[in-house]
Amino acid sequence: MPANSTRDRPDEKKRALHAGSGLAPLTFVEHALCPLDMTAGMAEGLSHEVSFEYTDRNRNRKTAYATVAAPFGLSPHDELYLYGLLALTLAQPEPTEEFSATPHWCLRQLGIVDTGRQQQGTRYRQFRDAIRRLSGVIYQSNGFYDPHRGEHRDVAFGLLGYSLPADPASSRAWQFVWNRQFFQIAESIRGSFIFDLLTYRRLSPAARRLFLLLQKIFHRMDESPAFDLKHLAVNTLGFSDSLATKSLRQKLLRVATELLKEEIIALPEGAESVVELITKRSKGVYAVRFRRGAYFDREPRSAACVESPLRDPLGQIGLEAQTIDRVLRQFKPQLLQQWSDITLAAVEQKRIRTSPQAFFMHHVREAAEKRTTPPDWWRELRKKEFEQNPDERRTDRPTVQDDGFEQYIRKEGREAFQNVMTRIFEGLCESGQSEPEARRNAAYTARMNLRRQYRKDHPERAGDGPVSLGRMMEQRWGNQ
C-alpha cells in the first residue's frame, strides 16, 4: 500500500472494551492536557493553554485553542487513570454516569496493582491523589470535536466528581460521577478509539501522548502529515515552550526512539535512524513525519472481559463465589451496589447484630420487591462524603494575588471578564452543573484565562502572593 494511502475504517461494531483497554476523547489526543514538567503541572492554580489544528466540514484547516484549568494541579500520569477509568465505566453492561468500584478492583483491572502491602498503599494514595486532581479540572475549547453531534464546537465542561469513604482503610467502594457532557462524548466514541493500556503504560508520558495521536492517524493512513516540530513538541506532547528548538529536537528524537522500539512507528525505506524522520525547512524550523509500524498490523492480544466491580464488595461482605455469581444474575447492578455499600458501612459502624451476609441478602431481596428503602443514616453518611469532595471546596484553594490584574479586572478588563465568564458559565450549566457550581467554576476559569493574557501584555505589572480564591469570589459575587 502506498505511503500516503487511505485505509478503510475497521468495522467499529466489532470493537469492544475489555480488561486492559483505555479510552480517550478524540480532541484530547490532539493536544497536551498539562505540561510534562511536573514542577509546572503540579502547581496549584494551573492554567494550561494550547493550540491545535483540525479540518472543518469544508476541508479547511482551522486553528483551535484549549485551556485546562486545574486548581489542584495536574500530572501527565493522571491521564492513565482518566482514560483507564473511563474505559472501565463504559465496559459495564449498563454504563451510567455514576460508577462504583473498590480502588483495588480499579488498579487490578488497569494492571498497575502491586502484591506487597506497602506498595499497594502507595498505589492507592497515588490513585486517590490523581482522582482528586482530575475532579478539579475545567476544560474549555473553541474547537472541540463532539462525536455525538459530528461537529467541532465551543465547549466548557468538567471531568468527574467523586465520593470516597473518609477512612482510607475502609473496604467500601469508591463512587465516581462523570460530568454528563463528558460522559456523552465518551459514550459516542467507545467503539472507535480504544487503545491498549499495556503498551501505553510501558511508555514515557511524552511517548504515550504521541502514541495516541499516531493511533488516531494510522487508523486511516500509513503515514502521518508533516508536523511542525516545535508545535508537536510543545502543544501536543507538553514540553516547555521556553526550550530551544535544538533541545526540543533531541527530546522528540528520544520519544521517536521509544515508539520505534515498540514498532509503533517504522523507519522510511533506506533510513537508518530516527534522525532521518526530521527535515529542515528553514533556519530553526523543522518538520517531522512518522510512518506506520508493524504494531498496528498484529492480531490483537487475547483480552479478558472486564469482571464485575461488584465482586470485591460482595466478597468483603462474606459471600462465596457461587453465591456472588447467583446474585449478579438475579439482581440489578445498581441495587447490589447500593445494598453492598449499606452493608459494609453498617459493619464498619457496628450497626448490625446479624451476620453481614444475612443482612445483605434479606435487604436486597426486600429492596428488589420494593418493600424497603435505604436507611436515613446511610443517606446522611453519603451526603457528608460528597461534601468532603475537594471539588466542593475549590473556592478555598489558594491562587495568585496580582494587584495589577485585580485593578485591570475591576476597570478596563471588566467587560472581557464578564463575556468570557458568561460563555463558560452557560456551557457548564448545559453540561449539568448546578448554577452555584457552574458560576464558581466559570469565574475561576475566566480569571485564569485573562490572567495569562494580562501577564503577556503587562509583564512589568505582574505580582505574586497567595490569596484565597473564595475571598475574590465573595468580593465579586457576594451580592448576587
Side-chain angles (χ1 to χ4, degrees), residues 27-29 31-35 46-50 66-70 74-76 78-79 82-83 134 137 139 159 209 235-238:
T27 300
F28 277 17
V29 309
H31 64 77
L33 291 180
C34 66
L46 170 69
S47 178
H48 183 63
E49 298 178 3
V50 288
T67 299
V68 181
L74 197 62
S75 163
D78 295 344
E79 293 164 28
L82 174 64
Y83 300 150
L134 290 167
V137 169
Y139 178 88
L159 300 180
R209 289 172 172 174
N235 288 286
T236 307
L237 304 188

Side-chain angles (χ1 to χ4, degrees), residues 408 451-461:
Y408 168 78
R451 179 180 284 114
R452 177 70 64 87
Q453 187 59 47
Y454 172 81
R455 287 181 171 177
K456 288 179 181 178
D457 296 341
H458 306 283
E460 77 287 352
R461 293 166 64 182

Side-chain angles (χ1 to χ4, degrees), residues 155-296:
V155 301
F157 53 78
L159 300 180
L160 80 165
Y162 66 84
S163 173
L164 312 183
D167 182 4
S170 173
S171 57
R172 293 168 59 209
W174 292 7
Q175 184 179 26
F176 309 95
V177 184
W178 295 101
N179 172 276
R180 185 175 67 192
Q181 183 178 352
F182 183 65
F183 185 77
Q184 289 175 345
I185 290 167
E187 271 195 309
S188 301
I189 62 159
R190 63 174 168 170
S192 60
F193 196 70
I194 300 167
F195 62 90
D196 179 38
L197 272 181
L198 179 62
T199 302
Y200 182 86
R201 287 199 317 269
R202 285 199 299 262
L203 300 171
S204 67
R208 289 173 178 178
R209 289 172 172 174
L210 186 53
F211 166 52
L212 295 188
L213 176 65
L214 293 178
Q215 175 165 319
K216 178 181 175 181
I217 294 170
F218 292 155
H219 179 58
R220 285 194 158 188
M221 306 292 292
D222 275 347
E223 195 170 61
S224 75
F227 297 107
D228 176 80
L229 184 146
K230 185 165 186 178
H231 177 84
L232 178 68
V234 173
N235 288 286
T236 307
L237 304 188
F239 290 111
S240 172
D241 61 0
S242 64
L243 292 173
T245 302
K246 181 179 179 181
S247 296
L248 293 174
R249 183 174 181 273
Q250 291 302 315
K251 290 180 181 296
L252 188 57
L253 287 174
R254 285 195 288 271
V255 171
T257 300
E258 272 192 77
L259 299 188
L260 182 65
K261 190 177 297 184
E262 295 285 341
E263 297 187 316
I264 293 167
I265 63 172
L267 295 177
E269 188 175 348
E272 296 183 357
S273 75
V274 293
V275 174
E276 296 175 71
L277 300 176
I278 299 176
T279 56
K280 187 174 183 179
R281 284 178 167 172
S282 60
K283 184 177 180 180
V285 179
Y286 297 86
V288 57
R289 190 189 295 270
F290 301 98
R291 188 172 179 80
R292 193 175 191 267
Y295 170 87
F296 297 101

Side-chain angles (χ1 to χ4, degrees), residues 380-395:
E380 287 299 316
L381 177 63
R382 290 295 301 276
K383 182 179 178 182
K384 289 179 181 178
E385 288 171 347
F386 269 111
E387 289 173 350
Q388 290 170 352
N389 186 335
D391 189 45
E392 296 299 318
R393 302 195 303 266
R394 181 175 302 143
T395 56

